[in-house]
Every structure is written in structure tokens, then in C-alpha cells.
Amino acid sequence: MKILILGAGAMGSLFAGKLTKCGFDVTLYNRPNNHVEIMKQQGVQMVHEKGDFATLHVPVYTNPADLSGDYELMLVLIKSFATKAVLEKVLPMVDDKTPILTLQNGIGNLELIQQLAPTHEVFVGGTSAGAGWVKRGVIEQRAWGKTFIGSTKPTNENVDFLKKVAATFSESGLETLVSDNVQSIIWSKLVVNIAYNGLTAVTRLKNGEAIEYKEGKELVSKLVEEAVEVAHAKEISLLYKDPVQECIRLGIEEIGRNISSMLTDVLHQRKTEIEVINGAIVKEGKRLQIATPYNNMMYKLVKMIDQSYPRTILHP
């Protein structure tokens, strides 16, 4: 399978590295930065769970004109707020029937991509796999959760294609399942993001560390309960029978070592995705007249961090 991955950050590099190691034809596209320059020179270097090390040579492009155009899948792993700008550059360079799969955080990504790419079949998913940078150019897998993918307009042809994608990802070590409920996929991943992203960005703890404290578990419970109430009001079923306990289990068993994407952004003083995560629950809660005080507080705290980087006190 020939795959173009948009985004050479931690998640894009994780997928690229594991798929390349398994023998698939992968290309990365990203804006120019230091990580990209290092990967161009030395490949994607990966540290695995048992400490083994691999160097995978993946083509990394920063100029859309360098893309070949004949990809079997475009995998979107860029920040949600960058979607429009990146796709407007890339879409003219690829075949207008190339299937697109978004595994981005938050809600609204599917609808935006469908607007930007009306001739493409757009699929959506959520993943609990996770990774982080050990240093520039060196990625470490830190979470081993499942990936779910699906279609808003399932047909026999679409389902067969999704099964092929799931088999491809699973073969590389990224366990992937096909679901027939797209909104369930989106909101189930959103619930996990609600549980950990804002909390870890504020406390500066890894996912698992944040719930070692009773206060952390209580906050996870309250944040998730509000999100679940909103989901139920929208008549969206979730993949988990007990979302609170599943989020806590994930934090203990599968994603505990991971540094959340939002904490990573805060540590590097970058714009966060708080608007499409906790902010999305606050917005939907207001529309549905459901109180979301914990998500509202988390949203405001991270927004303050987001807007005050130049004034941050780093040392006493």
C-alpha cells in the first residue's frame, strides 16, 4: 500500500516508521522545521517498547510539488487548526480520488476535510496509540491502544477498503479495527482526549502520573461524565460501556507513559487544540443546555496558558 502521511510530528512519524518497517511505501509531508531536516538526513529513528532501536528511511517532503500524486491513501495527522492551510497546498498535487483518512484529535475534522476535498472519499478514525520525541529525530512509542476507523457512507466497496487499511496498520503493529459507527469513533476518542489532554497540560504530568493522585482521578471522572452526558444528548453511543473506568484503565494499562499532545504543545509553547477538545464539549453543552463546569474550567485554564507563553515564569 502506498501511503502519504500529512504531519511528521510524533504520531505521523510513529505511523510512518512502523508502516515502513513492515515494508509499506510511505511518504511524509510536513512544514519545514528542525525535526524534518534531521529526518531527511538520518531517517526516522524509533525506540520500541523493549528498548530496541530502528532507523527507517522515509521520504520527507516540505514542498507539495514534490509529491507523486498516485497514493492509495492520504493519512491526516496534522493539528486540527492547520487542516485547511495544509490541504489547500497538498490536494492539487494528488489524484482527486485519493481516499483520505483523518485520525486527528477533536471534532469537526471530518466535516472540514469533506468540504475541502469534495471529490475524495473521506474516512475517520481515532487511535489510542501514542508516541513522543526522545530528542530531535528520535521517536519513542509510549502508548499501545487500538485504532478504530470507519465511514460516514458505508458501502461494500468502502468497507472492503477500510478492512485493507486496518489489515495494513495491524500488520505494522498498530492494531486497527473497522467500526460501522463513525460518530461513536469520533466521540469515543474525544472522551479520552477530554480525560487527559487538558489535565496533563495544566499539571505537566504524563497521563498515568496524572491519575496516580485521587484528585486526578476525580477530575478525569468529572470531565468524562460531562462529555458522556453531551454525547448521550446527541444520541451518540460510545465504544465503551463505562467511559470513566475505560479512560482510567487506558491511563494505567495502555497510555500511562505517554506525554499527551497538548502537554507537548505547552512544553514547546505552541498553540494547543483545546478549542476542538474541551472547548467542543463546552460549546455543545451550551447549545444543548447542559452544564459543563469542569470542561469549562479546563478550557479556560489551557486558553490562559495558550495566550501567555511570553509571560510564563520558568524558574523562581
Side-chain angles (χ1 to χ4, degrees):
M1 195 171 209
K2 187 174 182 180
I3 303 170
L4 170 63
I5 299 179
L6 303 186
M11 290 302 296
S13 297
L14 174 68
F15 272 75
K18 292 182 80 71
L19 287 163
T20 298
K21 187 178 181 182
C22 203
F24 296 104
D25 184 352
V26 179
T27 298
L28 277 165
Y29 173 82
N30 202 82
R31 63 182 176 83
N33 60 31
N34 291 330
H35 283 300
V36 168
E37 290 308 310
I38 290 172
M39 286 192 289
K40 283 182 177 181
Q41 296 170 18
Q42 65 183 29
V44 177
Q45 296 186 308
M46 295 184 63
V47 180
H48 298 287
E49 185 177 7
K50 296 179 181 179
D52 53 322
F53 189 88
T55 298
L56 294 312
H57 294 284
V58 183
V60 186
Y61 296 120
T62 56
N63 184 351
D66 293 331
L67 301 175
S68 70
D70 59 341
Y71 302 100
E72 295 173 73
L73 175 68
M74 184 190 303
L75 176 60
V76 183
L77 284 166
I78 51 180
K79 297 291 186 183
S80 59
F81 50 75
T83 302
K84 186 175 186 293
V86 173
L87 283 182
E88 285 178 343
K89 294 177 182 177
V90 170
L91 286 172
M93 305 300 166
V94 301
D95 186 278
D96 64 4
K97 299 297 182 184
T98 304
I100 301 173
L101 169 62
T102 169
L103 294 180
Q104 295 162 285
N105 289 332
I107 60 175
N109 300 299
L110 171 66
E111 294 79 5
L112 177 57
I113 296 172
Q114 287 175 328
Q115 291 173 16
L116 294 167
T119 64
H120 299 250
E121 193 71 48
V122 184
F123 303 103
V124 68
T127 183
S128 292
W133 295 107
V134 177
K135 60 181 180 179
R136 286 178 179 172
V138 181
I139 197 79
E140 178 183 34
Q141 186 170 2
R142 294 170 177 166
W144 291 264
K146 295 182 179 66
T147 298
F148 292 89
I149 58 177
S151 170
T152 55
K153 296 178 288 186
T155 63
N156 289 337
E157 185 178 352
N158 283 348
V159 171
D160 287 344
F161 176 76
L162 286 169
K163 287 179 178 178
K164 179 181 178 181
V165 173
T168 298
F169 288 0
S170 296
E171 187 178 342
S172 77
L174 296 159
E175 184 180 358
T176 301
L177 303 171
V178 177
S179 172
D180 59 2
N181 190 329
V182 169
Q183 290 302 320
S184 178
I185 294 172
I186 295 171
W187 277 76
S188 296
K189 176 59 188 300
L190 177 64
V191 164
V192 179
N193 286 333
I194 290 290
Y196 289 102
N197 272 270
L199 179 61
T200 56
V202 171
T203 61
R204 304 203 174 196
L205 295 170
K206 293 179 181 179
N207 293 341
E209 293 171 345
I211 55 172
E212 287 179 6
Y213 303 89
K214 67 175 184 178
E215 293 85 358
K217 282 187 178 179
E218 288 171 3
L219 286 169
V220 165
S221 297
K222 295 295 185 182
L223 290 164
V224 171
E225 285 168 2
E226 290 179 0
V228 170
E229 186 177 359
V230 171
H232 286 170
K234 292 171 67 68
E235 298 184 342
I236 296 171
S237 61
L238 300 176
L239 297 172
Y240 323 119
K241 291 182 180 179
D242 187 335
V244 170
Q245 288 307 309
E246 176 62 11
C247 285
I248 291 172
R249 184 196 70 78
L250 286 169
I252 295 171
E253 298 179 10
E254 295 184 12
I255 62 173
R257 289 178 52 202
N258 201 38
I259 298 173
S260 76
S261 60
M262 196 171 292
L263 173 54
T264 301
D265 288 336
V266 167
L267 293 174
H268 289 89
Q269 299 194 342
R270 298 188 299 236
K271 183 178 179 180
T272 71
E273 294 181 295
I274 194 66
E275 293 284 353
V276 296
I277 299 178
N278 300 84
I281 294 301
V282 173
K283 183 178 180 180
E284 285 296 293
K286 286 180 179 177
R287 188 178 68 82
L288 296 165
Q289 297 185 317
I290 296 172
T292 57
Y294 283 87
N295 278 279
N296 192 33
M297 178 62 74
M298 194 63 69
Y299 169 73
K300 289 179 178 177
L301 285 169
V302 177
K303 283 292 286 185
M304 284 180 65
I305 294 171
D306 232 346
Q307 297 171 37
S308 63
Y309 289 135
R311 305 173 70 180
T312 301
I313 298 172
L314 299 177
H315 300 287

